[in-house]
Amino acid sequence: MNHEDHQEETLHVGSGEFRMTKQRRVVYDVLLDQRDHPTAQEVYSRAKRRMPGISLATVYNCLDTMAQAGVVKQVNVARDATRFCPNLRPHAHFLCARCGEVLDVDLKPAADATLAWAMPDGASVEHLEVAMRGLCPTCASQPAQLV
Amino acid sequence: MNHEDHQEETLHVGSGEFRMTKQRRVVYDVLLDQRDHPTAQEVYSRAKRRMPGISLATVYNCLDTMAQAGVVKQVNVARDATRFCPNLRPHAHFLCARCGEVLDVDLKPAADATLAWAMPDGASVEHLEVAMRGLCPTCASQPAQLV
DNA sequence: ATGAGATCAAGAATTATTCTAAATAAGGAA
DNA sequence: TTCCTTATTTAGAATAATTCTTGATCTCAT
Ligand SMILES: [Mn+2]
Ligand SMILES: [Mn+2]
Ligand SMILES: [Zn+2]
Ligand SMILES: [Zn+2]
């Protein structure tokens, strides 16, 4: 018996582990298939197309489980609902003030994001979240908005 | 007539301007007097000690007005309520996972916080928010928590 | 003093998220 | 397989931060 025999396999990723249930598979696939940092509500809408019976509570549960396990990242940008992202590379987020798109911004190779900051002596940083706002390349190159 | 003659003066700061009413004065002083990044609720509690009749709605209004005017900054750290900060220098925020303290982390002189990031070509960054989580110097130097 | 517009206050409404409790599904042992 | 235990899903209620609504009050320029 090899590992491919079972559709339902317990995944060990990062710190946590979890069972890849049908619902979790759907939720995860939604995130993989369209990497635009959807909110839980948006994930729910997309998931329902693939599994009409899935509930919003389950979507929240799945997202939370996978975030705990380190398979997806929670993204906080601006004031609105939490967004979700399956990109596990260290990256920041860029919200376009014009079109609302949320883009991944990779950490430069070998760069240290805390280098620019005068950290208090003796502090240890476990986690860093960077949210930028501005105009994305597309919107920045377009003429001023008429509306 | 000099500027000190009038208690009620219209302030021009940053992009916006606003009237420094009694309530706004109290809310602003609360932020200046204890720079621990309180939430709106906490600002409300403290403001009530100085002006018992002030309402939560007004605290929200004042904070919003002053944030619009650029006199205070809204601080988003983790998923909880927005915090407020009268420090106008460019700085990041550090949340201690142990004691819950939120510290200011100054930008190093002449440093560029976007330098570590591979910005999409042509994007323009208007605003950057950095939230760190970890152990503050005090907590990091203490023995492991027994609770 | 007076009128227009800004601000304040109280509470209702909204919204994202979490919680609760009951039903269902899954995996292991017999 | 069948039974048992536990994890997961579901629907809806509850919570909490924030915004909205509306009428009262205040300010400032006339
Ligand atoms: Mn991302
Ligand atoms: Mn601050
Ligand atoms: Zn754009
Ligand atoms: Zn601490």
Side-chain angles (χ1 to χ4, degrees), chain B residues 9-21 23-25 27-28 31 56-74 84 88:
Chain B
E9 181 84 22
T10 299
L11 291 190
H12 304 253
V13 189
S15 45
E17 70 179 62
F18 69 101
R19 269 207 296 260
M20 186 53 91
T21 64
Q23 288 85 351
R24 287 170 185 167
R25 173 90 261 155
V27 165
Y28 189 46
L31 292 181
L56 177 58
T58 295
V59 169
Y60 269 105
N61 287 340
C62 292
L63 290 170
D64 184 63
T65 298
M66 292 190 285
Q68 296 284 117
V71 175
V72 305
K73 285 182 175 179
Q74 294 188 313
F84 296 86
L88 298 183

mmCIF file of all heavy atoms in Angstrom, chain B residues 9-21 23-25 27-28 31 56-74 84 88, chain C residues 6-8, chain D residues 19:
data_model
loop_
_atom_site.group_PDB
_atom_site.id
_atom_site.type_symbol
_atom_site.label_atom_id
_atom_site.label_comp_id
_atom_site.label_asym_id
_atom_site.label_seq_id
_atom_site.Cartn_x
_atom_site.Cartn_y
_atom_site.Cartn_z
ATOM 1 N N GLU B 9 -9.543 76.852 17.640
ATOM 2 C CA GLU B 9 -8.778 77.263 16.469
ATOM 3 C C GLU B 9 -8.923 76.168 15.418
ATOM 4 O O GLU B 9 -8.985 74.987 15.728
ATOM 5 C CB GLU B 9 -7.307 77.408 16.865
ATOM 6 C CG GLU B 9 -6.391 77.853 15.754
ATOM 7 C CD GLU B 9 -6.395 79.367 15.585
ATOM 8 O OE1 GLU B 9 -6.762 80.081 16.561
ATOM 9 O OE2 GLU B 9 -6.058 79.840 14.494
ATOM 10 N N THR B 10 -8.993 76.574 14.195
ATOM 11 C CA THR B 10 -9.008 75.567 13.136
ATOM 12 C C THR B 10 -7.583 75.117 12.858
ATOM 13 O O THR B 10 -6.713 75.946 12.630
ATOM 14 C CB THR B 10 -9.611 76.146 11.841
ATOM 15 O OG1 THR B 10 -10.945 76.542 12.115
ATOM 16 C CG2 THR B 10 -9.612 75.107 10.761
ATOM 17 N N LEU B 11 -7.377 73.840 12.942
ATOM 18 C CA LEU B 11 -6.047 73.303 12.718
ATOM 19 C C LEU B 11 -5.885 72.847 11.275
ATOM 20 O O LEU B 11 -6.765 72.200 10.724
ATOM 21 C CB LEU B 11 -5.796 72.101 13.635
ATOM 22 C CG LEU B 11 -5.676 72.382 15.123
ATOM 23 C CD1 LEU B 11 -5.188 71.132 15.826
ATOM 24 C CD2 LEU B 11 -4.741 73.532 15.376
ATOM 25 N N HIS B 12 -4.768 73.223 10.708
ATOM 26 C CA HIS B 12 -4.435 72.741 9.371
ATOM 27 C C HIS B 12 -3.264 71.793 9.512
ATOM 28 O O HIS B 12 -2.165 72.221 9.828
ATOM 29 C CB HIS B 12 -4.042 73.903 8.449
ATOM 30 C CG HIS B 12 -5.092 74.960 8.355
ATOM 31 N ND1 HIS B 12 -5.862 75.136 7.242
ATOM 32 C CD2 HIS B 12 -5.507 75.877 9.251
ATOM 33 C CE1 HIS B 12 -6.711 76.139 7.451
ATOM 34 N NE2 HIS B 12 -6.520 76.609 8.659
ATOM 35 N N VAL B 13 -3.494 70.555 9.332
ATOM 36 C CA VAL B 13 -2.414 69.580 9.486
ATOM 37 C C VAL B 13 -2.491 68.578 8.349
ATOM 38 O O VAL B 13 -3.563 68.069 8.036
ATOM 39 C CB VAL B 13 -2.532 68.817 10.816
ATOM 40 C CG1 VAL B 13 -1.300 67.981 11.046
ATOM 41 C CG2 VAL B 13 -2.757 69.776 11.961
ATOM 42 N N GLY B 14 -1.355 68.302 7.768
ATOM 43 C CA GLY B 14 -1.310 67.308 6.707
ATOM 44 C C GLY B 14 -2.259 67.673 5.593
ATOM 45 O O GLY B 14 -2.277 68.814 5.143
ATOM 46 N N SER B 15 -3.063 66.695 5.174
ATOM 47 C CA SER B 15 -3.952 66.935 4.043
ATOM 48 C C SER B 15 -5.220 67.652 4.468
ATOM 49 O O SER B 15 -5.712 68.536 3.779
ATOM 50 C CB SER B 15 -4.296 65.606 3.377
ATOM 51 O OG SER B 15 -4.612 64.647 4.366
ATOM 52 N N GLY B 16 -5.759 67.335 5.629
ATOM 53 C CA GLY B 16 -7.070 67.863 6.009
ATOM 54 C C GLY B 16 -6.984 68.982 7.012
ATOM 55 O O GLY B 16 -5.928 69.433 7.403
ATOM 56 N N GLU B 17 -8.124 69.475 7.426
ATOM 57 C CA GLU B 17 -8.174 70.459 8.490
ATOM 58 C C GLU B 17 -9.434 70.183 9.294
ATOM 59 O O GLU B 17 -10.386 69.587 8.806
ATOM 60 C CB GLU B 17 -8.204 71.880 7.931
ATOM 61 C CG GLU B 17 -9.482 72.262 7.227
ATOM 62 C CD GLU B 17 -9.418 73.707 6.716
ATOM 63 O OE1 GLU B 17 -8.559 74.002 5.875
ATOM 64 O OE2 GLU B 17 -10.223 74.522 7.161
ATOM 65 N N PHE B 18 -9.423 70.641 10.531
ATOM 66 C CA PHE B 18 -10.597 70.392 11.367
ATOM 67 C C PHE B 18 -10.596 71.331 12.545
ATOM 68 O O PHE B 18 -9.565 71.887 12.923
ATOM 69 C CB PHE B 18 -10.613 68.928 11.822
ATOM 70 C CG PHE B 18 -9.535 68.580 12.798
ATOM 71 C CD1 PHE B 18 -9.820 68.483 14.146
ATOM 72 C CD2 PHE B 18 -8.238 68.358 12.370
ATOM 73 C CE1 PHE B 18 -8.817 68.161 15.051
ATOM 74 C CE2 PHE B 18 -7.236 68.045 13.266
ATOM 75 C CZ PHE B 18 -7.530 67.942 14.612
ATOM 76 N N ARG B 19 -11.774 71.483 13.125
ATOM 77 C CA ARG B 19 -11.895 72.347 14.298
ATOM 78 C C ARG B 19 -11.553 71.573 15.542
ATOM 79 O O ARG B 19 -12.044 70.467 15.757
ATOM 80 C CB ARG B 19 -13.346 72.865 14.401
ATOM 81 C CG ARG B 19 -13.561 74.176 13.688
ATOM 82 C CD ARG B 19 -14.696 74.978 14.312
ATOM 83 N NE ARG B 19 -15.988 74.311 14.202
ATOM 84 C CZ ARG B 19 -16.905 74.607 13.284
ATOM 85 N NH1 ARG B 19 -16.659 75.529 12.372
ATOM 86 N NH2 ARG B 19 -18.058 74.002 13.269
ATOM 87 N N MET B 20 -10.713 72.148 16.393
ATOM 88 C CA MET B 20 -10.346 71.470 17.622
ATOM 89 C C MET B 20 -11.413 71.734 18.671
ATOM 90 O O MET B 20 -11.299 72.655 19.481
ATOM 91 C CB MET B 20 -8.972 71.944 18.097
ATOM 92 C CG MET B 20 -8.453 71.171 19.311
ATOM 93 S SD MET B 20 -8.443 69.383 19.094
ATOM 94 C CE MET B 20 -6.786 69.141 18.440
ATOM 95 N N THR B 21 -12.456 70.947 18.648
ATOM 96 C CA THR B 21 -13.541 71.096 19.620
ATOM 97 C C THR B 21 -13.106 70.527 20.965
ATOM 98 O O THR B 21 -12.051 69.915 21.076
ATOM 99 C CB THR B 21 -14.786 70.324 19.145
ATOM 100 O OG1 THR B 21 -14.464 68.931 19.096
ATOM 101 C CG2 THR B 21 -15.219 70.779 17.767
ATOM 102 N N GLN B 23 -14.372 68.032 22.588
ATOM 103 C CA GLN B 23 -14.282 66.571 22.537
ATOM 104 C C GLN B 23 -13.025 66.111 21.820
ATOM 105 O O GLN B 23 -12.337 65.192 22.269
ATOM 106 C CB GLN B 23 -15.520 65.998 21.837
ATOM 107 C CG GLN B 23 -16.808 66.076 22.650
ATOM 108 C CD GLN B 23 -17.521 67.428 22.512
ATOM 109 O OE1 GLN B 23 -16.968 68.392 21.938
ATOM 110 N NE2 GLN B 23 -18.729 67.516 23.022
ATOM 111 N N ARG B 24 -12.732 66.748 20.705
ATOM 112 C CA ARG B 24 -11.545 66.331 19.952
ATOM 113 C C ARG B 24 -10.269 66.578 20.742
ATOM 114 O O ARG B 24 -9.334 65.790 20.701
ATOM 115 C CB ARG B 24 -11.517 67.059 18.599
ATOM 116 C CG ARG B 24 -12.563 66.515 17.630
ATOM 117 C CD ARG B 24 -12.736 67.363 16.391
ATOM 118 N NE ARG B 24 -13.824 66.847 15.562
ATOM 119 C CZ ARG B 24 -14.368 67.505 14.547
ATOM 120 N NH1 ARG B 24 -13.949 68.717 14.237
ATOM 121 N NH2 ARG B 24 -15.340 66.948 13.856
ATOM 122 N N ARG B 25 -10.283 67.689 21.503
ATOM 123 C CA ARG B 25 -9.144 67.992 22.366
ATOM 124 C C ARG B 25 -8.934 66.872 23.383
ATOM 125 O O ARG B 25 -7.824 66.398 23.598
ATOM 126 C CB ARG B 25 -9.411 69.323 23.077
ATOM 127 C CG ARG B 25 -8.421 69.718 24.133
ATOM 128 C CD ARG B 25 -7.285 70.547 23.530
ATOM 129 N NE ARG B 25 -6.101 69.748 23.272
ATOM 130 C CZ ARG B 25 -5.174 70.043 22.363
ATOM 131 N NH1 ARG B 25 -5.317 71.103 21.601
ATOM 132 N NH2 ARG B 25 -4.132 69.292 22.209
ATOM 133 N N VAL B 27 -10.012 63.733 23.267
ATOM 134 C CA VAL B 27 -9.608 62.490 22.611
ATOM 135 C C VAL B 27 -8.132 62.551 22.223
ATOM 136 O O VAL B 27 -7.365 61.608 22.453
ATOM 137 C CB VAL B 27 -10.484 62.224 21.373
ATOM 138 C CG1 VAL B 27 -9.870 61.150 20.480
ATOM 139 C CG2 VAL B 27 -11.891 61.821 21.803
ATOM 140 N N TYR B 28 -7.734 63.672 21.692
ATOM 141 C CA TYR B 28 -6.341 63.822 21.280
ATOM 142 C C TYR B 28 -5.401 63.757 22.484
ATOM 143 O O TYR B 28 -4.363 63.094 22.452
ATOM 144 C CB TYR B 28 -6.162 65.143 20.519
ATOM 145 C CG TYR B 28 -4.818 65.305 19.868
ATOM 146 C CD1 TYR B 28 -4.236 64.270 19.133
ATOM 147 C CD2 TYR B 28 -4.121 66.498 19.983
ATOM 148 C CE1 TYR B 28 -2.997 64.431 18.531
ATOM 149 C CE2 TYR B 28 -2.877 66.674 19.381
ATOM 150 C CZ TYR B 28 -2.327 65.624 18.650
ATOM 151 O OH TYR B 28 -1.099 65.781 18.062
ATOM 152 N N LEU B 31 -4.711 60.348 23.674
ATOM 153 C CA LEU B 31 -3.689 59.663 22.868
ATOM 154 C C LEU B 31 -2.286 60.161 23.194
ATOM 155 O O LEU B 31 -1.332 59.383 23.250
ATOM 156 C CB LEU B 31 -3.977 59.851 21.378
ATOM 157 C CG LEU B 31 -5.231 59.157 20.847
ATOM 158 C CD1 LEU B 31 -5.389 59.415 19.356
ATOM 159 C CD2 LEU B 31 -5.176 57.664 21.120
ATOM 160 N N LEU B 56 -19.530 57.321 22.846
ATOM 161 C CA LEU B 56 -18.667 56.446 22.058
ATOM 162 C C LEU B 56 -18.691 56.856 20.589
ATOM 163 O O LEU B 56 -17.656 56.863 19.916
ATOM 164 C CB LEU B 56 -19.123 54.994 22.213
ATOM 165 C CG LEU B 56 -18.370 53.951 21.393
ATOM 166 C CD1 LEU B 56 -16.880 53.971 21.709
ATOM 167 C CD2 LEU B 56 -18.954 52.572 21.627
ATOM 168 N N ALA B 57 -19.880 57.215 20.111
ATOM 169 C CA ALA B 57 -19.995 57.638 18.708
ATOM 170 C C ALA B 57 -19.091 58.827 18.439
ATOM 171 O O ALA B 57 -18.434 58.898 17.398
ATOM 172 C CB ALA B 57 -21.446 57.985 18.384
ATOM 173 N N THR B 58 -19.054 59.737 19.394
ATOM 174 C CA THR B 58 -18.207 60.921 19.214
ATOM 175 C C THR B 58 -16.729 60.547 19.222
ATOM 176 O O THR B 58 -15.945 61.086 18.453
ATOM 177 C CB THR B 58 -18.508 61.947 20.316
ATOM 178 O OG1 THR B 58 -19.848 62.409 20.142
ATOM 179 C CG2 THR B 58 -17.564 63.130 20.239
ATOM 180 N N VAL B 59 -16.378 59.624 20.081
ATOM 181 C CA VAL B 59 -14.985 59.168 20.094
ATOM 182 C C VAL B 59 -14.627 58.592 18.722
ATOM 183 O O VAL B 59 -13.579 58.907 18.160
ATOM 184 C CB VAL B 59 -14.750 58.137 21.205
ATOM 185 C CG1 VAL B 59 -13.388 57.465 21.053
ATOM 186 C CG2 VAL B 59 -14.847 58.808 22.565
ATOM 187 N N TYR B 60 -15.510 57.763 18.193
ATOM 188 C CA TYR B 60 -15.268 57.231 16.847
ATOM 189 C C TYR B 60 -15.163 58.372 15.835
ATOM 190 O O TYR B 60 -14.285 58.394 14.981
ATOM 191 C CB TYR B 60 -16.378 56.258 16.437
ATOM 192 C CG TYR B 60 -16.095 54.812 16.800
ATOM 193 C CD1 TYR B 60 -16.746 54.213 17.869
ATOM 194 C CD2 TYR B 60 -15.186 54.056 16.085
ATOM 195 C CE1 TYR B 60 -16.497 52.884 18.213
ATOM 196 C CE2 TYR B 60 -14.929 52.729 16.417
ATOM 197 C CZ TYR B 60 -15.589 52.139 17.480
ATOM 198 O OH TYR B 60 -15.335 50.831 17.812
ATOM 199 N N ASN B 61 -16.083 59.322 15.936
ATOM 200 C CA ASN B 61 -16.052 60.457 15.012
ATOM 201 C C ASN B 61 -14.751 61.245 15.134
ATOM 202 O O ASN B 61 -14.143 61.590 14.118
ATOM 203 C CB ASN B 61 -17.239 61.391 15.281
ATOM 204 C CG ASN B 61 -18.556 60.792 14.810
ATOM 205 O OD1 ASN B 61 -18.575 59.887 13.982
ATOM 206 N ND2 ASN B 61 -19.657 61.287 15.357
ATOM 207 N N CYS B 62 -14.363 61.522 16.349
ATOM 208 C CA CYS B 62 -13.142 62.304 16.557
ATOM 209 C C CYS B 62 -11.919 61.576 16.013
ATOM 210 O O CYS B 62 -11.088 62.175 15.314
ATOM 211 C CB CYS B 62 -12.940 62.580 18.050
ATOM 212 S SG CYS B 62 -14.164 63.691 18.764
ATOM 213 N N LEU B 63 -11.830 60.313 16.337
ATOM 214 C CA LEU B 63 -10.678 59.537 15.870
ATOM 215 C C LEU B 63 -10.644 59.512 14.347
ATOM 216 O O LEU B 63 -9.593 59.664 13.727
ATOM 217 C CB LEU B 63 -10.739 58.110 16.431
ATOM 218 C CG LEU B 63 -10.492 57.995 17.939
ATOM 219 C CD1 LEU B 63 -10.813 56.586 18.435
ATOM 220 C CD2 LEU B 63 -9.064 58.375 18.292
ATOM 221 N N ASP B 64 -11.816 59.355 13.758
ATOM 222 C CA ASP B 64 -11.884 59.305 12.302
ATOM 223 C C ASP B 64 -11.499 60.650 11.686
ATOM 224 O O ASP B 64 -10.718 60.715 10.736
ATOM 225 C CB ASP B 64 -13.299 58.907 11.876
ATOM 226 C CG ASP B 64 -13.399 58.757 10.375
ATOM 227 O OD1 ASP B 64 -12.710 57.866 9.827
ATOM 228 O OD2 ASP B 64 -14.134 59.540 9.745
ATOM 229 N N THR B 65 -12.050 61.707 12.260
ATOM 230 C CA THR B 65 -11.728 63.056 11.765
ATOM 231 C C THR B 65 -10.233 63.319 11.830
ATOM 232 O O THR B 65 -9.634 63.801 10.866
ATOM 233 C CB THR B 65 -12.463 64.104 12.622
ATOM 234 O OG1 THR B 65 -13.871 63.904 12.499
ATOM 235 C CG2 THR B 65 -12.110 65.518 12.167
ATOM 236 N N MET B 66 -9.646 62.983 12.962
ATOM 237 C CA MET B 66 -8.224 63.251 13.130
ATOM 238 C C MET B 66 -7.368 62.330 12.269
ATOM 239 O O MET B 66 -6.293 62.730 11.807
ATOM 240 C CB MET B 66 -7.849 63.139 14.605
ATOM 241 C CG MET B 66 -8.475 64.275 15.422
ATOM 242 S SD MET B 66 -7.863 64.405 17.113
ATOM 243 C CE MET B 66 -8.700 63.034 17.863
ATOM 244 N N ALA B 67 -7.850 61.126 12.041
ATOM 245 C CA ALA B 67 -7.119 60.230 11.142
ATOM 246 C C ALA B 67 -7.168 60.779 9.719
ATOM 247 O O ALA B 67 -6.152 60.799 9.015
ATOM 248 C CB ALA B 67 -7.710 58.820 11.203
ATOM 249 N N GLN B 68 -8.331 61.256 9.305
ATOM 250 C CA GLN B 68 -8.479 61.873 7.982
ATOM 251 C C GLN B 68 -7.524 63.049 7.842
ATOM 252 O O GLN B 68 -6.897 63.250 6.805
ATOM 253 C CB GLN B 68 -9.905 62.384 7.771
ATOM 254 C CG GLN B 68 -10.982 61.343 7.763
ATOM 255 C CD GLN B 68 -11.008 60.563 6.466
ATOM 256 O OE1 GLN B 68 -10.788 59.363 6.470
ATOM 257 N NE2 GLN B 68 -11.248 61.243 5.346
ATOM 258 N N ALA B 69 -7.462 63.846 8.906
ATOM 259 C CA ALA B 69 -6.637 65.044 8.877
ATOM 260 C C ALA B 69 -5.152 64.723 8.987
ATOM 261 O O ALA B 69 -4.306 65.581 8.769
ATOM 262 C CB ALA B 69 -7.051 65.969 10.014
ATOM 263 N N GLY B 70 -4.838 63.488 9.342
ATOM 264 C CA GLY B 70 -3.443 63.095 9.426
ATOM 265 C C GLY B 70 -2.798 63.406 10.764
ATOM 266 O O GLY B 70 -1.575 63.374 10.886
ATOM 267 N N VAL B 71 -3.601 63.690 11.781
ATOM 268 C CA VAL B 71 -3.061 64.034 13.094
ATOM 269 C C VAL B 71 -2.795 62.789 13.932
ATOM 270 O O VAL B 71 -1.944 62.768 14.806
ATOM 271 C CB VAL B 71 -4.038 64.967 13.834
ATOM 272 C CG1 VAL B 71 -3.578 65.243 15.248
ATOM 273 C CG2 VAL B 71 -4.191 66.260 13.058
ATOM 274 N N VAL B 72 -3.562 61.754 13.668
ATOM 275 C CA VAL B 72 -3.306 60.469 14.321
ATOM 276 C C VAL B 72 -3.277 59.392 13.241
ATOM 277 O O VAL B 72 -3.771 59.588 12.123
ATOM 278 C CB VAL B 72 -4.387 60.120 15.378
ATOM 279 C CG1 VAL B 72 -4.528 61.234 16.396
ATOM 280 C CG2 VAL B 72 -5.718 59.835 14.717
ATOM 281 N N LYS B 73 -2.706 58.275 13.623
ATOM 282 C CA LYS B 73 -2.644 57.154 12.690
ATOM 283 C C LYS B 73 -3.492 56.008 13.191
ATOM 284 O O LYS B 73 -3.513 55.727 14.392
ATOM 285 C CB LYS B 73 -1.196 56.678 12.535
ATOM 286 C CG LYS B 73 -0.328 57.572 11.694
ATOM 287 C CD LYS B 73 1.074 56.969 11.563
ATOM 288 C CE LYS B 73 1.943 57.777 10.615
ATOM 289 N NZ LYS B 73 3.314 57.201 10.509
ATOM 290 N N GLN B 74 -4.165 55.352 12.261
ATOM 291 C CA GLN B 74 -4.854 54.112 12.598
ATOM 292 C C GLN B 74 -3.846 52.987 12.522
ATOM 293 O O GLN B 74 -3.063 52.920 11.574
ATOM 294 C CB GLN B 74 -5.979 53.857 11.612
ATOM 295 C CG GLN B 74 -7.091 54.888 11.700
ATOM 296 C CD GLN B 74 -8.285 54.500 10.857
ATOM 297 O OE1 GLN B 74 -8.126 54.111 9.712
ATOM 298 N NE2 GLN B 74 -9.461 54.609 11.422
ATOM 299 N N PHE B 84 -5.041 53.386 17.896
ATOM 300 C CA PHE B 84 -4.736 54.736 17.445
ATOM 301 C C PHE B 84 -3.445 55.241 18.058
ATOM 302 O O PHE B 84 -3.093 54.908 19.184
ATOM 303 C CB PHE B 84 -5.904 55.664 17.738
ATOM 304 C CG PHE B 84 -7.135 55.288 16.966
ATOM 305 C CD1 PHE B 84 -8.019 54.331 17.447
ATOM 306 C CD2 PHE B 84 -7.390 55.858 15.721
ATOM 307 C CE1 PHE B 84 -9.137 53.955 16.716
ATOM 308 C CE2 PHE B 84 -8.504 55.486 14.984
ATOM 309 C CZ PHE B 84 -9.378 54.536 15.483
ATOM 310 N N LEU B 88 3.590 60.633 14.524
ATOM 311 C CA LEU B 88 3.500 60.867 13.079
ATOM 312 C C LEU B 88 4.781 60.504 12.327
ATOM 313 O O LEU B 88 4.825 60.597 11.105
ATOM 314 C CB LEU B 88 3.131 62.336 12.813
ATOM 315 C CG LEU B 88 1.769 62.759 13.375
ATOM 316 C CD1 LEU B 88 1.456 64.195 12.999
ATOM 317 C CD2 LEU B 88 0.666 61.823 12.885
ATOM 318 P P DA C 6 -20.750 72.234 6.761
ATOM 319 O OP1 DA C 6 -19.622 72.315 5.814
ATOM 320 O OP2 DA C 6 -21.865 71.298 6.536
ATOM 321 O "O5'" DA C 6 -20.147 71.939 8.215
ATOM 322 C "C5'" DA C 6 -19.367 72.942 8.850
ATOM 323 C "C4'" DA C 6 -19.198 72.578 10.316
ATOM 324 O "O4'" DA C 6 -20.464 72.712 10.991
ATOM 325 C "C3'" DA C 6 -18.728 71.154 10.556
ATOM 326 O "O3'" DA C 6 -17.692 71.204 11.521
ATOM 327 C "C2'" DA C 6 -19.975 70.418 11.040
ATOM 328 C "C1'" DA C 6 -20.752 71.530 11.715
ATOM 329 N N9 DA C 6 -22.207 71.382 11.706
ATOM 330 C C8 DA C 6 -23.013 71.205 10.620
ATOM 331 N N7 DA C 6 -24.302 71.117 10.913
ATOM 332 C C5 DA C 6 -24.329 71.253 12.288
ATOM 333 C C6 DA C 6 -25.392 71.248 13.215
ATOM 334 N N6 DA C 6 -26.687 71.106 12.871
ATOM 335 N N1 DA C 6 -25.084 71.401 14.517
ATOM 336 C C2 DA C 6 -23.795 71.547 14.858
ATOM 337 N N3 DA C 6 -22.706 71.576 14.081
ATOM 338 C C4 DA C 6 -23.054 71.414 12.789
ATOM 339 P P DT C 7 -16.898 69.924 11.909
ATOM 340 O OP1 DT C 7 -15.543 70.379 12.312
ATOM 341 O OP2 DT C 7 -17.064 68.900 10.867
ATOM 342 O "O5'" DT C 7 -17.669 69.433 13.219
ATOM 343 C "C5'" DT C 7 -17.752 70.308 14.323
ATOM 344 C "C4'" DT C 7 -18.635 69.698 15.380
ATOM 345 O "O4'" DT C 7 -20.006 69.672 14.915
ATOM 346 C "C3'" DT C 7 -18.293 68.256 15.763
ATOM 347 O "O3'" DT C 7 -17.979 68.260 17.138
ATOM 348 C "C2'" DT C 7 -19.556 67.459 15.451
ATOM 349 C "C1'" DT C 7 -20.624 68.544 15.493
ATOM 350 N N1 DT C 7 -21.862 68.317 14.718
ATOM 351 C C2 DT C 7 -23.072 68.338 15.372
ATOM 352 O O2 DT C 7 -23.181 68.526 16.577
ATOM 353 N N3 DT C 7 -24.165 68.133 14.570
ATOM 354 C C4 DT C 7 -24.175 67.916 13.202
ATOM 355 O O4 DT C 7 -25.226 67.747 12.595
ATOM 356 C C5 DT C 7 -22.874 67.907 12.573
ATOM 357 C C7 DT C 7 -22.758 67.682 11.087
ATOM 358 C C6 DT C 7 -21.792 68.096 13.356
ATOM 359 P P DC C 8 -17.564 66.966 17.911
ATOM 360 O OP1 DC C 8 -16.588 67.390 18.932
ATOM 361 O OP2 DC C 8 -17.248 65.911 16.939
ATOM 362 O "O5'" DC C 8 -18.920 66.589 18.664
ATOM 363 C "C5'" DC C 8 -19.556 67.567 19.448
ATOM 364 C "C4'" DC C 8 -20.838 66.998 20.036
ATOM 365 O "O4'" DC C 8 -21.802 66.881 18.977
ATOM 366 C "C3'" DC C 8 -20.688 65.616 20.663
ATOM 367 O "O3'" DC C 8 -21.243 65.658 21.965
ATOM 368 C "C2'" DC C 8 -21.471 64.696 19.722
ATOM 369 C "C1'" DC C 8 -22.473 65.650 19.087
ATOM 370 N N1 DC C 8 -22.937 65.335 17.710
ATOM 371 C C2 DC C 8 -24.308 65.280 17.440
ATOM 372 O O2 DC C 8 -25.100 65.450 18.372
ATOM 373 N N3 DC C 8 -24.721 65.035 16.178
ATOM 374 C C4 DC C 8 -23.839 64.864 15.192
ATOM 375 N N4 DC C 8 -24.302 64.635 13.963
ATOM 376 C C5 DC C 8 -22.433 64.916 15.438
ATOM 377 C C6 DC C 8 -22.022 65.153 16.711
ATOM 378 P P DT D 19 -15.902 52.517 10.681
ATOM 379 O OP1 DT D 19 -15.116 52.553 9.435
ATOM 380 O OP2 DT D 19 -15.666 53.478 11.767
ATOM 381 O "O5'" DT D 19 -17.447 52.584 10.302
ATOM 382 C "C5'" DT D 19 -17.985 51.573 9.487
ATOM 383 C "C4'" DT D 19 -19.470 51.826 9.294
ATOM 384 O "O4'" DT D 19 -20.175 51.617 10.535
ATOM 385 C "C3'" DT D 19 -19.812 53.248 8.831
ATOM 386 O "O3'" DT D 19 -20.719 53.107 7.752
ATOM 387 C "C2'" DT D 19 -20.432 53.885 10.081
ATOM 388 C "C1'" DT D 19 -21.069 52.682 10.752
ATOM 389 N N1 DT D 19 -21.276 52.740 12.224
ATOM 390 C C2 DT D 19 -22.510 52.454 12.729
ATOM 391 O O2 DT D 19 -23.473 52.188 12.034
ATOM 392 N N3 DT D 19 -22.606 52.495 14.099
ATOM 393 C C4 DT D 19 -21.589 52.779 14.990
ATOM 394 O O4 DT D 19 -21.797 52.772 16.200
ATOM 395 C C5 DT D 19 -20.311 53.078 14.390
ATOM 396 C C7 DT D 19 -19.153 53.401 15.275
ATOM 397 C C6 DT D 19 -20.214 53.045 13.065
#
